[in-house]
Amino acid sequence: MSLPPLDRLPTPATTTTTRSTTAPAPAPAPAPAPGEAPRVTRTGAATRLTSLNRPAHLVLALLPLLVIGTWAALDRDAWRDGPARLADADPRWLLAGVLFTLLGWVVTAWIRQGALPERLPPGLLMASQLAAGAANLVLPSSIGAHAVTLRFLQGRGIPLARATASLALYSLVKPVARVPVLIFFLLALEDTRALGALAPDRRTLLPAAGGVALCLAAVCLLLAVFRPLRRPVLGFLRTALTDVRILHTRPSRVLALWGGSAAAPVIQGTVIASVGFALGLPLSWTQVVFALLVASTAAGAVPAPGGIGPVDAAMVLTMAALGAPASLATATVIGYRVLTVWIPLLPGTLILSALVHRKVL
């Protein structure tokens, strides 16, 4: 029996009938009219997330009012007596103090850039640091400034671990870079006999050393007992060490981080010296900068919003020990607070509110 030709054999398409199981395509969404914003369909989870974000956004928008009210309550002497004390001051030295205050904000933004490998937009970075300075007046130990900077970095697309590592590096480098500056100004002093009263005794050093040792022991105990903490802590350390290695291969970042951290207290002390010279303070520039370095080193560990209280008192005592009248040293510190806090406070809070409104923070 002969077989039929191959071209006449039936194909599977003609012998079997298949049923399509593909679901019908959804109808396309109607196109927006010209000039109309595109419509975004929200799921239930996204709607709930938006409803939760609204109270947080309202709180952040009201934060500037909280900043002003808190600082007004904590720093009553500055806003009540400061303008009266500065009324008879030399306006030329006060203008110099304002210029050095502005330079200090620029240096702070420069240090923040030096602690991160990515390049940040200079204008927004400067604005975020002005807003961070305003937020820093509410919470102690620079928590407010770090929180605003962390939000800014995350808004720029920096992952949380790397942004946190940048803040940690910033906080670590600043006190380390201050040590050689303090030694330099100590050697530059002509008369160091008055510094004997400022030297800490054993009753002061032992509790401080014990507190540091207790904190380190508590951290080690937490890592040893709670194993879930080890992985994020080790991951954070790996991220931080990687960024440190990358940063120190770039001379511009090294100069910004270490040079800016060493210059920041000198500029801050120059602001105090300018206010003191405007009021007739009988101390040299070297003595005033050294007084700030000693005061910030001795009292900087005390958690106080914006350094109110401990650093101010330590500055007055240090300048008095160097030969300044206590009343004039107090007036200098109060004038310094007016110049560096109350004058930038209003623009800082307005910038903070604007950044929150524009969702930069």
Side-chain angles (χ1 to χ4, degrees):
M1 184 179 61
S2 61
L3 298 176
L6 295 177
D7 56 353
R8 295 184 181 179
L9 290 177
T11 60
T14 59
T15 58
T16 60
T17 304
T18 58
R19 180 176 297 177
S20 175
T21 59
T22 305
E36 182 183 357
R39 299 170 184 173
V40 180
T41 304
R42 295 183 181 273
T43 61
T47 303
R48 289 193 298 270
L49 183 60
T50 302
S51 63
L52 291 176
N53 283 338
R54 288 175 181 173
H57 187 76
L58 178 61
V59 171
L60 289 175
L62 295 177
L63 182 61
L65 298 178
L66 178 63
V67 169
I68 296 177
T70 302
W71 189 258
L74 294 175
D75 203 20
R76 292 186 298 271
D77 292 338
W79 62 264
R80 186 177 55 195
D81 301 335
R85 294 178 182 271
L86 294 179
D88 298 330
D90 188 346
R92 293 171 297 180
W93 280 114
L94 292 181
L95 178 60
V98 171
L99 295 177
F100 280 109
T101 301
L102 296 177
L103 181 60
W105 289 112
V106 175
V107 170
T108 300
W110 194 36
I111 301 171
R112 294 287 189 185
Q113 176 62 85
L116 197 68
E118 288 84 357
R119 180 173 176 81
L120 300 172
L124 284 179
L125 177 60
M126 185 67 185
S128 70
Q129 293 312 295
L130 290 172
N136 194 43
L137 305 180
V138 178
L139 299 174
S141 301
S142 301
I143 296 177
H146 288 333
V148 171
T149 304
L150 183 63
R151 292 279 298 179
F152 170 71
L153 294 179
Q154 287 188 282
R156 296 292 95 194
I158 307 299
L160 178 60
R162 300 190 59 248
T164 308
S166 172
L167 299 182
L169 181 62
Y170 172 89
S171 301
L172 178 63
V173 169
K174 288 192 70 175
V176 173
R178 185 182 298 158
V179 173
V181 180
L182 177 61
I183 296 175
F184 173 81
F185 277 90
L186 176 62
L187 297 175
L189 286 178
E190 298 177 357
D191 187 6
T192 58
R193 291 175 297 178
L195 300 179
L198 301 176
D201 54 8
R202 183 178 299 178
R203 292 176 298 178
T204 304
L205 291 176
L206 288 180
V212 173
L214 184 62
C215 291
L216 293 176
V219 171
C220 295
L221 181 62
L222 285 175
L223 294 178
V225 174
F226 298 99
R227 293 184 177 180
L229 291 177
R230 297 180 188 175
R231 179 173 295 179
V233 170
L234 292 178
F236 167 77
L237 291 177
R238 283 194 295 267
T239 302
L241 292 176
T242 301
D243 281 358
V244 168
R245 179 180 57 80
I246 295 174
L247 287 171
H248 285 79
T249 59
R250 303 180 182 180
S252 60
R253 295 294 189 269
V254 174
L255 179 61
L257 182 62
W258 290 97
S261 298
V266 178
I267 295 174
Q268 188 178 4
T270 305
V271 176
I272 303 175
S274 299
V275 177
F277 297 158
L279 297 173
L281 185 72
L283 294 179
S284 65
W285 174 77
T286 303
Q287 290 174 317
V288 174
V289 176
F290 177 77
L292 172 67
L293 291 169
V294 171
S296 58
T297 302
V302 180
I308 301 176
V311 176
D312 293 347
M315 285 173 55
V316 171
L317 292 176
T318 306
M319 287 191 290
L322 292 174
S327 59
L328 196 53
T330 304
T332 299
V333 172
I334 292 176
Y336 161 73
R337 285 295 179 188
V338 171
L339 209 62
T340 58
V341 173
W342 278 104
I343 292 179
L345 181 59
L346 181 58
T349 50
L350 292 178
I351 291 174
L352 176 61
S353 180
L355 293 179
V356 172
H357 181 70
R358 294 174 178 268
K359 298 182 179 180
V360 178
L361 300 179

